[in-house]
Each structure stands twice: as C-alpha cells, then as structure tokens.
Amino acid sequence: FILLAPIAITVATRYKMPAIYIGFPLITSLSVTQGFLPPHPAPLLLVQQFHADMGKTLFLGIIISIPAILLGGMLFGKTVKNILRVPNSAFVAKELAPEEMPSKTISFLSVLLPVILIAINGDPIISMLISVVFAIYFLGIRRQVGISEITSQLTDSIKEVAMLFLIFGGAGSLKQILVEGGVSAEIAQMMSHSSLHPFILGWLMAAFIRVSVGSSTVAGITTAGFFVPVVQATGVDPNLMVLSIGSGSMMFAHVNDTGFWLFKEYFQLSIKEIIRSYSIMETIISISGLLGVLCLNYFMY
C-alpha cells in the first residue's frame, strides 16, 4: 500500500480524477492478497498451522480472489466515485522535464526493491533502509542532485508521515490491549462447540475476532489454533480451511485496524467516508471469499 498508493494518487491528481476511485481497485487487490494468498505472512502462517499445500492454497486463493476483486474493487468501487476529497499532497509526485526523469529501470527498481528484498526473507526494516539508500544514490546523487536538496526532501518525507506513525501506533496499541486482555481467546472458546460446518464456523470465529480486535493477522492465527484438531477430526480440505479463515479475518475493518487509518490519511477521508468505502469493501471481500470456498468445496468434493 505504502509503495503503490502514491502512484494511484499521482495519476488521479494529474488527470483530475477522484483519487479514491482510481485507488480503490488497488486497495481491494492488496486486501485480497493479505487475506487469501500465501506467501503473505497471515495466510502463510495458516498454511503452516494446517500443514496445507502452499501451491494448491495459492491456486485456489487466486480463483476466489477474482470475484472478490471484481465485486469489491470494481462493482462496489463505482459507488465511491462521488467522494471528491483532495488526497494528501505529500504523496503527489512533482512533474519533471523529460531530461530530469530517471530511467525506467531505475524507476521500477526503486519501487520494487523493498518488495524483492522482503520476498527473499529480508528483514523488513533493513530492506526499507537499503531501498532508501538505493534511492538516495540513483534518484539523487547520480542525477547530480545536491546533498542539501536530498536532505530537504528526506526531511519533508519524514515530516509528512510522522503523524501517521503516531496514529498507527495508537491503533496498534489498542489492538494489543484487547489481545492481551484475552478478547480473541474468549470469543474462540465460546464458539468452539458450535455444530456449524467447519468452514462456516472458522469464518465466523475469525470475523468476530477481527471486528473485536482489529488485526486480521491476530484473527487468523487465533482461529487457526482452535481449528487444527477440527481439521484433523473432520477431514475437511486444509487448503480451503486456510482460505475460509483468511476470508473471515478480513471482515469489516474499523478504528482498531491500522490499515483503516492508513487509507484515511492517504486519501484524506472522513471517518464516515472511510467506513462507507474501505470498511464495506473489506466486508464484501470477506463474504465473497466464504462463498467462493463453499463453491469450491461443493465442486471439488
């Protein structure tokens, strides 16, 4: 999100289009990835917990991702067209003359380097630091930009995102208070004796924990801990169980979720607008993911 949202915001600003409308399919795709597709950390942990097949889970996850993105990002995305907020100007790239532009290779590598480093099991903080140093040299020093100008740009970047870090930290702290207080474990315990189908029960448990705690990762991992013996006892497909719990963990993001504030601050939305757009989109993804799992289960077995 942090790497790609500024690109969507810049495109929307250049062509005078609603930024949230341009960015919405992007946000939907990233949300689907977070909930359904290993090797993202949350579904990857679920795959390991259930001893599922990563390749098969990824393949089935892609299948249910397509309708989720079409419904949440494109169909529902049309309803946000009238939200005409001016996005955060800090994420709008300045226009440069052709001779001032870096090469396409350097441009793409600057954006993708942290993703590549993290994907090969690099530490996220070190990967981002290496990427910043790479950008300072190839987008600054090598293009004859003075040290004072580079320092000024770095200062402006930190100044613009400092408040975001405080907001994310506050939301994360509230989430952790609920986790340490045993809210997620209590919900899981209450639902563990239900007679519902394991896929529906797993989805419901993850959804309740997600709404209560705010973190999709906590919701998925907590639910998985209770469902390992269920999968072993019932013989349900562990790959589909990963996807059902992952779908439930995406249910209705709100103020406990750091992603909620990230989306709000980038696109400068009100609380009402963020709930009316981002929160409902996450709910659509969650429900459509469960329906996709049930359909796959019907046709596969």
Side-chain angles (χ1 to χ4, degrees):
F1 180 95
I2 291 172
L3 291 169
L4 297 178
I7 297 175
I9 290 173
T10 298
V11 169
T13 302
R14 296 268 174 89
Y15 292 95
K16 302 189 180 340
M17 299 179 70
I20 185 173
Y21 178 62
I22 298 298
F24 212 70
L26 166 69
I27 310 306
T28 306
S29 301
L30 293 173
S31 294
V32 165
T33 301
Q34 179 181 351
F36 299 169
L37 305 180
H40 190 280
L44 176 60
L45 286 170
L46 295 177
V47 166
Q48 293 170 346
Q49 286 264 38
F50 292 121
H51 302 290
D53 182 281
M54 175 152 342
K56 187 175 180 181
T57 302
L58 179 59
F59 176 71
L60 296 175
I62 291 172
I63 292 176
I64 69 170
S65 294
I66 294 170
I69 293 171
L70 292 175
L71 289 172
M74 299 184 68
L75 188 61
F76 177 69
K78 293 180 179 179
T79 68
V80 305
K81 208 171 192 178
N82 296 326
I83 300 178
L84 303 177
R85 294 277 183 170
V86 177
N88 194 325
S89 60
F91 304 113
V92 179
K94 296 179 180 177
E95 292 197 54
L96 299 174
E99 61 273 11
E100 297 177 298
M101 296 287 288
S103 68
K104 290 184 176 66
T105 301
I106 293 299
S107 298
F108 278 108
L109 194 55
S110 297
V111 174
L112 295 176
L113 183 59
V115 179
I116 294 169
L117 293 175
I118 293 172
I120 58 176
N121 293 324
D123 178 82
I125 295 176
I126 300 300
S127 298
M128 294 301 292
L129 177 60
I130 293 172
S131 302
V132 169
V133 173
F134 177 92
I136 288 173
Y137 177 75
F138 284 99
L139 300 179
I141 295 172
R142 193 175 179 184
R143 293 173 53 239
Q144 309 301 317
V145 178
I147 294 297
S148 60
E149 175 63 20
I150 294 173
T151 303
S152 175
Q153 291 177 1
L154 292 173
T155 302
D156 289 340
S157 300
I158 294 172
K159 181 174 64 178
E160 293 294 345
V161 300
M163 185 56 67
L164 297 181
F165 289 141
L166 292 175
I167 293 170
F168 304 155
S173 298
L174 177 58
K175 177 266 296 181
Q176 196 61 33
I177 289 171
L178 295 172
V179 171
E180 297 296 334
V183 172
S184 55
E186 186 66 27
I187 292 171
Q189 189 65 45
M190 286 190 301
M191 300 184 67
S192 60
H193 303 294
S194 173
S195 59
L196 291 170
H197 189 284
F199 293 150
I200 298 175
L201 182 60
W203 180 85
L204 275 174
M205 188 180 292
F208 273 113
I209 296 173
R210 155 71 159 179
V211 174
S212 300
V213 175
S215 168
S216 61
T217 303
V218 170
I221 293 172
T222 303
T223 304
F226 282 83
F227 271 80
V228 170
V230 174
V231 171
Q232 294 171 345
T234 60
V236 295
D237 190 320
N239 306 288
L240 293 179
M241 181 56 77
V242 169
L243 297 174
S244 67
I245 293 175
S247 300
S249 72
M250 301 309 297
M251 172 61 74
F252 196 79
H254 56 84
V255 294
N256 286 8
D257 178 27
T258 52
F260 179 94
W261 296 104
L262 189 70
F263 188 70
K264 178 185 183 301
E265 294 301 320
Y266 268 63
F267 290 91
Q268 298 290 285
L269 304 174
S270 67
I271 295 292
K272 180 180 178 180
E273 288 167 341
I274 194 81
I275 291 175
R276 175 247 181 280
S277 57
Y278 178 72
S279 299
I280 295 178
M281 176 268 288
E282 294 268 279
T283 303
I284 292 172
I285 288 174
S286 180
I287 295 172
S288 107
L290 173 64
L291 294 176
V293 167
L294 295 177
C295 287
L296 286 175
N297 184 60
Y298 177 79
F299 286 109
M300 290 170 59
Y301 299 98

